Amino acid sequence: MDVNQLLAGLTTVARRDGIADVTGVEYDSRRIKVRDAFVAMRGETTDGNRYIEAALTKGAAAVVTDSREAYEELALKHPTLPVALVERGRRALAEVSAAVFGDPEKRLALTGVTGTNGKTTTAFLVESLLKSVGRTCVLIGTIEYHVGDAVRASEHTTPESRDVLQVFADGVAVGASEAVMEMSSHALEQERVWGLPVEVAIFTNLTQDHLDYHGTMERYFEAKLRLFEGVGTVPPRVAVVNVDDAYGRRIVEAARHSQVLTYGFDEGAEFRAIDVRMKAGETRFTMMTPKGMVEMLSPLTGRVNVYNLLAASAAAYARGLTVEEIVAGAARVGQVPGRFQVVPSGSGVTVVVDYAHTDDALRNLIALARELVAPQNGRVITLFGCGGDRDKTKRPKMGRAAGEGSDLVVLTSDNPRTENPSVILAEALAGVKTTTGTTCIVEEDRRGAIEIAIRAAKAGDIVLIAGKGHEKMQILAGGTVPFDDAAVAAEVLEEL
């Protein structure tokens, strides 16, 4: 498209026109192609304005910058280059990308999911329900991206707007009419989802996480709340909110410009679960809906997945599915990788891989395991670790949660990143020691720890391998190495 037309659509501080035809957009100079527009913006770890010359060398046809210094320097060094100076680089990236990709966000009905726990499973469930009635979808989330039936690797829970809009455009090209996205608190606060019109917004819950970034729970909540206020757009048409959560009740009060559908176990919830019955690989419950009661059956297990099913059901209802279609779709959903993922075993021991990486998620996971082993008088063996370079205050809390609910705890490394693993282990171990009489084995090597946990189990026991879930890598100070909890567990089980 004509560069002057492109730049004219931006909210600019200053602009210099030129002659160019722009065919793409990038914010990473390493990915620049000839005739791309380069959006140079300040980020959390680097400043894209340092790479303007590299982008021009590779053929960038125009530059959008959030640095006045860079703008003035370009006027001297490249007087004929089309350049725009903007106040907010990420907003400009979203606006330029939407124009270059042909505004695909306007041709998809977007469901956004936010919250501490349950985002990934809820997003998968919403997509599954929409697909069950023949709709083609785009999914963007922690585990992977979907474009129709094609699966792509996920680099971020919520990528930069340029990459979101590329996926949306690819989805529109294959006939997608729906999009489902996990929207992290980081992405909402950093405006990586700027300008995306949200049709349905889901709030799952809020528990302590990411305080290394947000600082306080209130700021963390305020970041989540942005989804329901509209990030550069009008508020969502429908807000689906967990009213069993105290922060959810605050969102109900704030979402005055949206239709609100509530869910939970609370009597006032419009989508409510009663008479829950579950076993490994199956959950049944009666769901109260605005259209009456229906019987739900799902291959997913646990109370947390009842919440996820309620949220997805309310969102699907908001997207026009009947309760009968929701019931039929819920019965056919598949297992979500790394979310209560059962590793096949013929030993009588149940081994589960789960992404639980907060004290609340760990406590819920252990409570579910306790319910499942109760009929056999089995034990709960919990393996967990804590991530490095992240909120340190939750480490003893996770240790306490593991110690209070488990018969045996195996403490190991998660993703230590640049921190000393032994320091992380000591901080988590302090929490375990506040419980009474729970045995804790410390093994820094995660592979060795998984073997210890499984070898300690007997028929009727359940082994929980928590923290990394779907992840296929372990991040160490010396670099990233391949590591898959489920694959390692399967190897150990086969050896046994």
Side-chain angles (χ1 to χ4, degrees), residues 167-191:
V167 175
F168 279 10
D170 293 345
V172 169
V174 299
S177 60
E178 305 273 352
V180 184
M181 274 186 71
E182 293 180 52
M183 294 190 177
S184 68
S185 56
H186 294 69
L188 288 161
E189 184 160 304
Q190 294 167 5
E191 298 184 337

Side-chain angles (χ1 to χ4, degrees), residues 99-418:
V100 168
F101 291 119
D103 297 310
E105 76 283 1
K106 295 178 182 178
R107 289 182 275 176
L108 296 168
L110 174 59
T111 298
V113 188
T114 200
T116 305
N117 302 312
K119 293 190 298 297
T120 297
T121 301
T122 299
F124 266 78
L125 288 172
V126 172
E127 182 204 32
S128 181
L129 292 175
L130 293 171
K131 290 177 70 174
S132 74
V133 294
R135 300 186 192 178
T136 302
C137 302
V138 167
L139 173 74
I140 295 179
T142 303
I143 297 175
E144 57 197 25
Y145 303 162
H146 298 168
V147 179
D149 293 327
V151 178
R152 301 180 182 179
S154 170
E155 295 184 6
H156 302 284
T157 296
T158 314
E160 294 285 358
S161 58
R162 180 254 176 240
D163 302 324
V164 170
L165 290 161
Q166 171 77 75
V167 175
F168 279 10
D170 293 345
V172 169
V174 299
S177 60
E178 305 273 352
V180 184
M181 274 186 71
E182 293 180 52
M183 294 190 177
S184 68
S185 56
H186 294 69
L188 288 161
E189 184 160 304
Q190 294 167 5
E191 298 184 337
R192 281 187 254 147
V193 293
W194 182 262
L196 298 183
V198 178
E199 172 77 2
V200 179
I202 301 173
F203 174 81
T204 60
N205 51 61
L206 198 74
T207 61
Q208 183 175 328
D209 202 10
H210 304 307
L211 296 193
D212 54 304
Y213 177 79
H214 296 291
T216 66
M217 285 296 292
E218 191 60 24
R219 284 186 57 192
Y220 183 28
F221 170 69
E222 288 169 357
K224 298 291 190 186
L225 185 60
R226 291 187 178 204
L227 174 58
F228 299 86
E229 297 170 336
V231 186
T233 61
V234 297
R237 181 180 65 83
V238 180
V240 174
V241 184
N242 175 7
V243 288
D244 289 353
D245 185 278
Y247 289 101
R249 294 190 288 275
R250 288 177 62 183
I251 285 178
V252 170
E253 294 175 5
R256 297 187 182 91
H257 300 291
S258 303
Q259 176 192 351
V260 177
L261 291 176
T262 59
Y263 72 92
F265 288 79
D266 186 274
E267 286 189 7
E270 290 160 286
F271 283 80
R272 177 184 165 211
I274 59 175
D275 190 25
V276 177
R277 295 140 282 158
M278 57 189 163
K279 57 186 180 182
E282 181 182 286
T283 298
R284 296 176 182 268
F285 63 95
T286 301
M287 183 169 70
M288 309 287 290
T289 79
K291 297 294 184 180
M293 292 189 299
V294 292
E295 293 301 314
M296 293 284 281
L297 166 65
S298 169
L300 302 182
T301 305
R303 184 181 175 90
V304 292
N305 278 320
V306 174
Y307 275 110
N308 297 332
L309 284 160
L310 290 171
S313 296
Y317 180 79
R319 290 298 309 130
L321 272 69
T322 66
V323 291
E324 293 78 16
E325 289 171 332
I326 291 168
V327 170
R332 298 196 297 269
V333 300
Q335 183 168 261
V336 181
R339 270 61 178 176
F340 207 85
Q341 179 181 347
V342 179
V343 182
S345 167
S347 64
V349 175
T350 301
V351 178
V352 171
V353 172
D354 193 271
Y355 190 54
H357 62 285
T358 67
D359 59 299
D360 182 68
L362 194 57
R363 190 170 284 109
N364 288 335
L365 176 66
I366 294 168
L368 168 58
R370 182 65 64 193
E371 287 185 60
L372 296 177
V373 300
Q376 297 84 30
N377 294 315
R379 297 177 304 154
V380 176
I381 298 171
T382 302
L383 177 150
F384 84 103
C386 300
D389 300 335
R390 298 294 186 268
D391 181 8
K392 297 181 180 182
T393 65
K394 71 179 185 180
R395 293 171 187 171
K397 295 179 181 179
M398 289 180 68
R400 185 177 183 88
E404 286 178 341
S406 310
D407 298 290
L408 171 65
V409 174
V410 179
L411 181 57
T412 188
S413 281
D414 190 284
N415 291 317
R417 299 182 175 87
T418 64

Side-chain angles (χ1 to χ4, degrees), residues 41-64:
M41 59 188 188
R42 300 181 185 93
E44 280 61 55
T45 58
T46 189
D47 184 352
N49 291 286
R50 293 165 52 195
Y51 305 99
I52 290 175
E53 287 300 325
L56 293 175
T57 299
K58 295 189 72 173
V63 172
V64 176

